[in-house]
Amino acid sequence: MAFFITSSPHVHVKRNTSNIMMWVALCLLPGIGAQTYFFGYGVLIQVVYAVLLAWFFEAAVMLLRKRSPLTALKDNSAMVTGMLLAVSIPPLSPWWLMAIGLFFAIVIGKHLYGGIGQNLFNPAMVAYVVLLISFPVQMTSWLAPEVVTSLHLHFSDCVKLIFSGYNGDGLSLLQVRTGIDGVTMATPLDTFKTSIRAGHTASEIMQQAPYSGLFGIGWQWVNIAFLFGGAVLLKMRIIQWQIPTAMLLSLFVMSVLTSLFDPGMTASPALQLLSGATMLGAFFIATDPITASTTTKGRLYYGCMIGVVVFLIRSWGGFPDGVAFAILLANMSVPLIDYYTKPRTYGHTR
């Protein structure tokens, strides 16, 4: 055995971008699996379709920029962007919705700023916000979880609904959602906000169909699955603990305080944490190393800002879930946050 003596500095080997993105993609799989179980094969179809589209746009832009497309595809960032957008939109959304979204994500949100490492905003969230504002009907056409309805769409039906607009029986998505065998149901956060405005109390709302005394049928397990994947990322030190902890803690504290001063008028802390895109945003989107704060204190402020804005939008804003908007607003604030939270230079006395 040979013993080698090397000069300093002695540092751990850092993971490259390709390896980091691959682990992020792998840790997304538990959440994708849970979402598929509760919302059908459309989730898997959208994920595969989104990844293929993301690769296409990535390669096309790199060719236009006269650079090697293989180099860009190997870093796996386009794949992760596609997966994040795929799990953020309704599973049976029409094919063109994903195409428009990924065009904005890859071409506008990423390469218009110079490519990976130069973008100011998270590309997947840029696409999501553009789609939500431009096509609100398609972006809110969620089916009820399959465990609470007698309607179970086969894989072929999901493919046909996504790419042709009709299933094997010639029914459109709207007819499927409102037909005899279907149960029309908004997301738990959307149902809660609509019911509050209609004059119901929180306790009354929690007995409605989307909850059945829980925190949103299907949604709580999807969030727990994303939490599990995020815990793996933390364990492997691919992401830092400050951002997800600060985001979830600030969201929890705001919810608790509001519940104390105005009981029955805002979602409970558990519903805030286990509904919508809370865990997906906390562990997989807000922690994007390119668009998030880079200082230790800055990550805490950055995460807190996201949690507070999410709560404000969910409680009094015009949209049921505010994760995407909160992350984009925080992305805009990163230069300022980093500037005022730079660590003091060693030996500095003032």
Side-chain angles (χ1 to χ4, degrees):
M1 296 180 63
F3 181 74
F4 297 97
I5 299 178
T6 59
S7 60
S8 61
H10 305 288
V11 296
H12 294 289
V13 177
K14 295 182 179 179
R15 295 184 176 92
N16 56 29
T17 302
S18 176
N19 182 264
I20 291 174
M21 292 298 172
M22 181 56 71
W23 273 108
V24 172
L26 291 174
C27 290
L28 279 169
L29 295 181
I32 293 174
Q35 205 165 332
T36 302
Y37 176 79
F38 286 103
F39 296 101
Y41 293 113
V43 177
L44 286 181
I45 297 169
Q46 294 285 7
V47 169
V48 174
Y49 175 53
V51 170
L52 293 176
L53 270 180
W55 283 340
F56 169 78
F57 284 125
E58 185 84 0
V61 173
M62 293 303 290
L63 288 173
L64 289 175
R65 297 178 63 188
K66 297 181 179 180
R67 297 185 181 183
S68 171
L70 291 178
T71 302
L73 293 175
K74 286 180 180 178
D75 65 24
N76 296 319
S77 61
M79 176 180 67
V80 171
T81 298
M83 295 174 71
L84 290 174
L85 184 59
V87 298
S88 300
I89 69 174
L92 297 180
S93 299
W95 65 270
W96 51 264
L97 193 73
M98 183 68 75
I100 293 173
L102 283 173
F103 173 82
F104 273 92
I106 302 297
V107 180
I108 307 299
K110 180 179 178 181
H111 284 284
L112 190 64
Y113 289 93
I116 187 170
Q118 307 298 320
N119 51 293
L120 300 178
F121 304 100
N122 185 283
M125 292 301 94
V126 170
Y128 179 85
V129 169
V130 168
L131 294 177
L132 183 60
I133 294 175
S134 304
F135 310 102
V137 174
Q138 288 79 9
M139 288 294 288
T140 54
S141 297
W142 288 87
L143 288 177
E146 291 196 350
V147 296
V148 297
T149 176
S150 59
L151 177 65
H152 300 288
L153 295 173
H154 298 291
F155 184 86
S156 59
D157 287 324
C158 294
V159 172
K160 291 174 182 177
L161 280 168
I162 292 171
F163 293 101
S164 72
Y166 299 91
N167 67 358
D169 297 324
L171 298 177
S172 68
L173 177 59
L174 178 61
Q175 291 173 317
V176 170
R177 293 183 70 230
T178 58
I180 297 175
D181 293 329
V183 177
T184 300
M185 185 182 296
T187 62
L189 289 173
D190 195 4
T191 301
F192 189 93
K193 176 171 288 188
T194 303
S195 300
I196 284 291
R197 290 176 177 174
H200 298 283
T201 64
S203 58
E204 293 173 343
I205 297 170
M206 294 304 293
Q207 302 304 316
Q208 296 182 16
Y211 312 99
S212 295
L214 301 174
F215 311 116
I217 296 176
W219 289 97
Q220 71 268 20
W221 297 112
V222 171
N223 273 274
I224 290 172
F226 282 123
L227 172 61
F228 174 78
V232 174
L233 292 179
L234 287 174
K235 177 68 176 179
M236 299 187 65
R237 297 186 178 180
I238 292 176
I239 62 174
Q240 303 296 319
W241 64 268
Q242 290 93 345
I243 293 175
T245 302
M247 174 185 165
L248 297 177
L249 185 60
S250 61
L251 180 59
F252 177 80
V253 170
M254 289 290 292
S255 180
V256 170
L257 292 177
T258 309
S259 298
L260 292 175
F261 290 102
D262 194 10
M265 298 307 297
T266 57
S268 66
L271 181 61
Q272 294 280 5
L273 295 177
L274 296 177
S275 291
T278 303
M279 296 301 172
L280 176 67
F283 291 97
F284 293 94
I285 302 176
T287 54
D288 178 14
I290 298 170
T291 58
S293 179
T294 57
T295 65
T296 302
K297 288 184 179 179
R299 293 191 190 104
L300 293 173
Y301 294 134
Y302 174 85
C304 282
M305 178 181 179
I306 294 174
V308 171
V309 174
V310 166
F311 178 80
L312 294 177
I313 293 176
R314 286 180 175 180
S315 301
W316 299 287
F319 295 93
D321 200 354
V323 172
F325 294 96
I327 289 175
L328 291 181
L329 288 172
N331 290 163
M332 294 172 60
S333 306
V334 163
L336 188 65
I337 293 173
D338 284 353
Y339 178 81
Y340 285 104
T341 57
K342 288 186 297 186
R344 185 180 295 272
T345 304
Y346 181 75
H348 195 277
T349 58
R350 293 184 180 179

